[in-house]
Amino acid sequence: MTSLLDEVFTVLVFPGFIFSVVMAFWFEYLERKITARVQKRVGPLITGPRGLLQPFIDVVKLLFKEEIVPKGTDIFAFRIAPVLAVTIPVFGMCFIPIISWKTPLSFQADFLLVFLLLALSLLNVALTGYSVLSPYTSMGVGRLLVQYSMYEGIFLLSLISAMIQTQTISFEGLLRYQSIKGPLILYQPISFVCALLALLAKLEKRPFDLPHAKQEIVAGWETELSGRGLAFIRLYTDLSMVWGISLLVIVFLGGPLGPGFNSLMPVAGFTWFAIKALGLTILLTVISASTGRIRVYGLADIFWERLYPLLLVQLLISYFLRWL
């Protein structure tokens, strides 16, 4: 019974749904404030202390707004895809060890589960766009699939590089290795930089926001969304940012590991994880806010011509590091 309650608490509260949603709103607030500062604007200011509640209020407003469904829409896919999209990053967060070595849902190959969830997240987004017969959504999904073919391999190879060096397929194994050898970013800076750029592309942040470029295709695959559907997709985007940053923190930065972790495990673990995640959020936001959109051939130049060769070198280095 205790084990069952722990698992339910993990899924519904921490680090599952409630914690993930709160972090999603917090990360969006940080993103909007930092972007505003970089671009000499103000950002959220009125709702809540210094605009802190603005992301939450925006989602609540969308939930109660009228939802317009275009003619010829596949209603079932149009309704279910945004809901399923939200569940994937929340489910992924349930396996992220934030305050200890593992979570109640952890198992021996939980790191491999990430590969499946990453593929499913794109499937839901594509289903959302293709459920509507609109040229803008079709073009947006087409751009998304082209971008996916370039960044997803980079992101997965970066994670595989960590698996090769640590010889483990579990998050707990990754943390145990880093507790002895130090953070993997010290050994794999190339993988970290490649994963960072791939995460920007996955989140469709500048300079990789081609799938929903407002100046070109209105809002891309999100064009026909409104009301509840748009609220769920916005929440999905923020949750994906939380999940992606958490993955990089665990894989390359040691997650909750830091001074005092063994003696003050819950408090120290959460503190170190939060500091690392905050730093990574600021870094991603500054990069996104200070760059302009690139074209498709520029995307291919970055990922295919530059990052893939660098990652192959990193994979060879990781293979030799496993024997040290």
Side-chain angles (χ1 to χ4, degrees), residues 25-297:
F25 291 143
W26 168 238
F27 280 13
E28 183 186 341
Y29 172 78
L30 285 176
E31 182 183 20
R32 292 168 69 172
K33 292 296 284 189
I34 294 171
T35 302
R37 289 298 179 91
V38 171
Q39 299 175 354
K40 296 184 178 181
R41 297 184 287 107
V42 177
L45 189 64
I46 305 301
T47 308
R50 301 189 64 82
L52 183 62
L53 297 179
Q54 191 63 56
F56 170 72
I57 295 299
D58 288 344
V59 170
V60 171
K61 286 192 297 184
L62 283 173
L63 286 173
F64 291 97
K65 282 185 176 292
E66 179 185 6
E67 187 174 27
I68 300 173
V69 180
K71 290 183 179 179
T73 299
D74 185 332
I75 298 297
F76 178 76
F78 188 76
R79 299 289 190 194
I80 199 66
V83 178
L84 290 177
V86 169
T87 63
I88 291 172
V90 170
F91 183 62
M93 283 296 295
C94 293
F95 299 92
I96 300 294
I98 295 176
I99 60 174
S100 61
W101 298 105
K102 58 183 180 179
T103 71
L105 295 184
S106 296
F107 61 100
Q108 201 168 21
D110 54 5
F111 190 29
L112 282 180
L113 183 65
V114 170
F115 295 76
L116 173 63
L117 295 178
L118 288 172
L120 288 177
S121 64
L122 175 83
L123 177 63
N124 275 286
V125 170
L127 187 64
T128 303
Y130 279 141
S131 65
V132 184
L133 296 177
S134 164
Y136 295 118
T137 56
S138 298
M139 189 176 297
V141 175
R143 286 189 175 191
L144 178 67
L145 294 176
V146 170
Q147 187 161 298
Y148 174 84
S149 69
M150 297 179 188
Y151 76 75
E152 191 67 9
I154 294 290
F155 195 68
L156 295 182
L157 282 175
S158 299
L159 301 182
I160 289 172
S161 180
M163 291 170 55
I164 291 174
Q165 180 177 337
T166 59
Q167 303 180 62
T168 182
I169 53 176
S170 70
F171 287 117
E172 182 183 3
L174 281 169
L175 292 181
R176 298 285 183 184
Y177 182 94
Q178 293 178 86
S179 67
I180 300 171
K181 305 293 186 179
L184 283 180
I185 190 175
L186 300 177
Y187 309 97
Q188 303 196 21
I190 296 175
S191 291
F192 176 73
V193 172
C194 290
L196 200 65
L197 293 176
L199 181 59
L200 276 172
K202 177 176 176 57
L203 298 175
E204 300 175 38
K205 306 291 185 185
R206 286 186 302 270
F208 310 119
D209 58 339
L210 289 167
H212 65 266
K214 293 180 175 60
Q215 295 89 342
E216 301 169 13
I217 50 176
V218 187
W221 60 272
E222 300 178 10
T223 300
E224 302 298 341
L225 293 170
S226 58
R228 288 173 296 175
L230 184 57
F232 278 110
I233 289 299
R234 285 194 57 173
L235 185 58
Y236 157 75
T237 302
D238 294 337
L239 287 168
S240 295
M241 185 174 180
V242 173
W243 185 40
I245 288 174
S246 298
L247 276 176
L248 296 191
V249 169
I250 291 293
V251 175
F252 295 105
L253 302 179
L257 300 179
F261 173 72
N262 290 321
S263 56
L264 300 170
M265 187 171 291
V267 177
F270 181 82
T271 301
W272 284 114
F273 187 94
I275 291 172
K276 295 170 186 177
L278 177 62
L280 210 52
T281 303
I282 294 173
L283 177 60
L284 283 171
T285 304
V286 170
I287 294 173
S288 177
S290 56
T291 55
R293 182 183 309 120
I294 64 172
R295 298 184 180 182
V296 174
Y297 62 80

